[in-house]
Amino acid sequence: MLKTALKPRWIAGLVFAIVISGVFVLLSQWQFGRSTQPEAPVSSGTEESKPLIAVLQPGDFFHGSVADQMVTAKGSYDPEKQVLVPGRLYDGATGYWVVSAFAVQDAPVLSGVGASPQTWIPVARGWVADAAEAGAPPSGTIELTGRLLPSEAPLPNTAPERGFATAVSVAELINVWEVSSYPGFVAATSEVAGGADVGAAAAGSELKPLRIGPQPPAQQVNWLNLFYSVEWIVFAGFALFIWWRMVKDDYRRDLEDDDEDHDHDPHQENSSPSGQSSPSEQKVQP
């Protein structure tokens, strides 16, 4: 069969089948790329700072439309309400996020059992490599700017030590701090007190700034495009299969032609099976 496949016409046919298969593979890649698309483009509006009290209300659900929004707020920290969240990376090193409770000025006050006189929000102020390097938050009235993020989920079946938390979880922190809180937290980018920078970016600060950017939008799968991408792969394989089948058919035809030529061999027709001459060719003995 290899001899048949090496015929010039079948070599040309193989080249053509490979080209066609390559085109089908490229079409498959194109369809696969279109099968995963963002649900919505990244909104540039999240980078324009807005007052926290206008963006999110305490006691309300954390709506996805406000995630990643840059917000501003005035208020103050309570040095007694600060925790460290371990297992956080910074330039490849593992350390801690320093999370402090921030009393939001002019924020709505919640009512009911367990409600505090002020409304607070957790603020991730920065990163430290060593827990001992985490100093107290700045005092006085702070003008805070940062990125609003949804609450994280606490680690199950884990009891953190005093002064630590398993995650930046509002549900976990309000039980530790015993305060009313917004349903999210702020990753600080700037902290200003009396016109001076007192945040992680300030000179002499032990904290490293978090620099959390907007998160990429969620991806959705277009199943129709995904089906088309698989279909083009099948077509690519089918093109090579057709070439192989045509070569195989040509090979069988060659075998049949050889058998026919062998059956019609005149030398075999004029000779007896034993190799002796036929009776018509023998001489009659007197």
Side-chain angles (χ1 to χ4, degrees), residues 11 16 68 82 90 108 147 168 179 181 201 215 225 229 241 273:
I11 293 177
F16 180 74
D68 290 337
Q82 178 168 282
Y90 186 90
R147 191 174 300 280
V168 191
V179 296
S181 174
Q215 302 302 302
N225 289 103
S229 67
F241 171 77

Side-chain angles (χ1 to χ4, degrees), residues 54 113 217 285:
V113 179
Q285 297 294 330

Side-chain angles (χ1 to χ4, degrees), residues 209-229:
L210 299 182
R211 297 192 180 94
I212 298 178
Q215 302 302 302
Q219 301 285 324
Q220 63 178 357
V221 178
N222 188 319
W223 294 104
L224 183 60
N225 289 103
L226 187 61
F227 170 77
Y228 286 154
S229 67

Side-chain angles (χ1 to χ4, degrees), residues 210-264:
L210 299 182
R211 297 192 180 94
I212 298 178
Q215 302 302 302
Q219 301 285 324
Q220 63 178 357
V221 178
N222 188 319
W223 294 104
L224 183 60
N225 289 103
L226 187 61
F227 170 77
Y228 286 154
S229 67
V230 175
E231 190 177 52
W232 283 118
I233 292 294
V234 174
F235 288 163
F238 191 64
L240 295 174
F241 171 77
I242 290 178
W243 173 84
W244 173 81
R245 187 57 185 266
M246 294 177 70
V247 171
K248 186 177 181 180
D249 290 344
D250 189 29
Y251 172 71
R252 288 180 175 176
R253 284 194 296 269
D254 290 342
L255 291 179
E256 292 174 357
D257 292 342
D258 291 342
D259 291 341
E260 291 179 0
D261 292 342
H262 184 269
D263 292 340
H264 294 82

Side-chain angles (χ1 to χ4, degrees), residues 1-136:
M1 187 171 176
L2 178 61
K3 184 178 179 181
T4 303
L6 292 178
K7 290 181 179 180
R9 62 172 176 171
W10 294 127
I11 293 177
L14 177 61
V15 173
F16 180 74
I18 292 175
V19 171
I20 293 298
S21 297
V23 173
F24 289 163
V25 170
L26 292 177
L27 289 172
S28 174
Q29 292 179 343
W30 175 70
Q31 290 286 0
F32 183 79
R34 289 174 56 87
S35 66
T36 55
Q37 296 179 347
E39 291 184 358
V42 177
S43 174
S44 59
T46 59
E47 304 309 294
E48 180 183 352
S49 298
K50 299 179 180 180
L52 172 63
I53 58 176
V55 172
L56 186 62
Q57 296 298 315
D60 196 3
F61 292 104
F62 191 98
H63 302 284
S65 59
V66 301
D68 290 337
Q69 177 66 51
M70 294 296 294
V71 295
T72 60
K74 283 187 178 182
S76 59
Y77 289 110
D78 184 345
E80 300 298 324
K81 295 178 174 62
Q82 178 168 282
V83 295
L84 300 180
V85 181
R88 302 298 162 130
L89 297 177
Y90 186 90
D91 289 341
T94 303
Y96 304 85
W97 274 12
V98 180
V99 180
S100 304
F102 185 81
V104 182
Q105 182 177 314
D106 299 328
V109 178
L110 297 178
S111 60
V113 179
S116 59
Q118 291 178 298
T119 301
W120 304 70
I121 190 168
V123 176
R125 300 183 49 244
W127 179 92
V128 291
D130 188 351
E133 298 176 352

